[in-house]
Amino acid sequence: MKTTQDWTFLEFSTKNYSHGFHLYPARMHPEIAKRLIEKYVPDTKKVVFDPFMGSGGVLVEALLHGNNSIGVDVNPFAVLISRVKTLTIEAARLEKRFNEIITKSESDYAGKVRYDNSPKSDSLNLKFWYKPDVIKKLEILKHHIFNLDDSKPVIDFFKVCFSLTSRKASNQRNSIYKIYRMSKEQMDSFNPDVFAMFKEICKNNIQKMSDLHTSSKKAKAFPILGDSRNVSKAFSQVPKKSLTMARSILW
């Protein structure tokens, strides 16, 4: 009897493990990547290659399956998210650094300490997109994240948390990807607590990182900033021993 597979995946979450670290447009459903890897790359000695990586969902699923993987994308922000999503940092280490960041940030805000580190651009009107108190708190958080005394992977983890915080705390309509500001009525009632948002995002992402750390196999992911039209250049950044057999399954 012929059976039909269900590809809607309505009952599956798109935010398990590190998939839910950050918003990104047009993400592939993780279960699609999982099913394709299981079908076409059952041998974990083979390498999964995603030439248009986006935010790294395919690479995360490859880690969970036990395959080394390579992803390429021309967007630096996509590469940052992908690198962080495929890290396996111990939760205790992240929690320690999180407590350090938030304690110093809340102390600075209470003491009216300011940091002039907002993006400077004639075309960027921060006051249009952020309320004054939001800007102050984001500047404080940015200072303590970017000056954290730890490794680059740990700092990058908190950069991604900071990015999502700044997105959610902005005056942009968060329900859509097109950049529109909230209506005046929405703005009047919108008073985001930046530190509370950051705490919640970090708590969730640390737990997701812990889940990935526990569930992923002994595999490595290599998110690369580059152009897939010159894939040999991208592959040159990957250790040769990790390139057993690259097989592109997702276009």
Side-chain angles (χ1 to χ4, degrees):
M1 180 178 177
K2 185 177 180 179
T3 59
T4 301
Q5 283 188 320
D6 179 12
W7 286 78
T8 61
F9 303 113
L10 294 177
E11 71 275 26
F12 292 96
S13 172
T14 62
K15 297 181 179 180
N16 290 335
Y17 302 107
S18 56
H19 289 300
F21 269 16
H22 199 287
L23 299 170
Y24 198 84
R27 289 194 303 130
M28 175 185 289
H29 198 298
E31 290 296 321
I32 294 178
K34 178 182 178 181
R35 185 174 290 181
L36 290 174
I37 290 171
E38 289 174 346
K39 180 176 177 63
Y40 293 105
V41 201
D43 182 357
T44 56
K45 293 181 180 180
K46 293 182 179 179
V47 180
V48 174
F49 172 49
D50 188 347
F52 311 110
M53 173 180 61
S55 62
V58 172
L59 275 60
V60 173
E61 287 302 321
L63 283 179
L64 292 168
H65 190 256
N67 295 80
N68 286 350
S69 59
I70 302 167
V72 180
D73 207 280
V74 296
N75 183 352
F77 185 54
V79 176
L80 172 64
I81 296 175
S82 298
R83 285 176 179 163
V84 170
K85 285 170 67 171
T86 53
L87 294 171
T88 52
I89 305 171
E90 291 184 356
R93 181 176 176 183
L94 292 174
E95 288 170 356
K96 178 181 178 180
R97 291 310 187 190
F98 161 73
N99 289 328
E100 180 181 320
I101 292 167
I102 201 65
T103 299
K104 290 181 178 179
S105 295
E106 289 177 335
S107 176
D108 280 352
Y109 181 75
K112 297 183 178 181
V113 177
R114 291 293 306 275
Y115 298 99
D116 184 21
N117 58 16
S118 296
K120 304 296 188 295
S121 171
D122 293 336
S123 61
L124 178 62
N125 184 357
L126 282 182
K127 292 181 180 180
F128 180 83
W129 293 109
Y130 295 95
K131 292 190 173 183
D133 188 65
V134 170
I135 293 176
K136 291 178 185 177
K137 288 182 176 178
L138 287 175
E139 288 177 333
I140 292 171
L141 280 175
K142 181 180 178 180
H143 172 81
H144 291 296
I145 291 169
F146 282 58
N147 291 281
L148 193 64
D149 184 18
D150 210 311
S151 66
K152 187 177 186 301
V154 172
I155 295 172
D156 284 348
F157 174 87
F158 288 108
K159 283 183 178 180
V160 169
C161 295
F162 173 78
S163 174
L164 185 56
T165 303
S166 65
R167 172 71 164 78
K168 290 190 171 186
S170 74
N171 300 332
Q172 181 180 346
R173 300 180 193 177
N174 278 294
S175 60
I176 58 177
Y177 281 105
K178 292 184 178 179
I179 303 176
Y180 293 110
R181 196 169 75 154
M182 297 176 182
S183 65
K184 184 181 183 304
E185 292 73 19
Q186 290 173 315
M187 290 275 291
D188 289 342
S189 60
F190 182 62
N191 294 295
D193 185 334
V194 174
F195 291 156
M197 283 183 175
F198 182 72
K199 288 177 184 179
E200 182 180 4
I201 290 168
C202 286
K203 178 181 177 181
N204 288 338
N205 285 2
I206 290 172
Q207 180 59 56
K208 291 176 186 298
M209 176 69 77
S210 178
D211 294 341
L212 180 66
H213 188 271
T214 301
S215 302
S216 62
K217 309 297 192 301
K218 292 183 178 180
K220 294 183 179 180
F222 299 92
I224 297 170
L225 177 64
D227 188 334
S228 287
R229 291 174 296 183
N230 188 0
V231 73
S232 60
K233 182 177 180 180
F235 276 31
S236 70
Q237 301 179 50
V238 180
K240 289 186 178 180
K241 63 181 180 180
S242 299
L243 287 169
T244 305
M245 186 184 296
R247 180 169 184 175
S248 178
I249 66 166
L250 297 168
W251 300 89

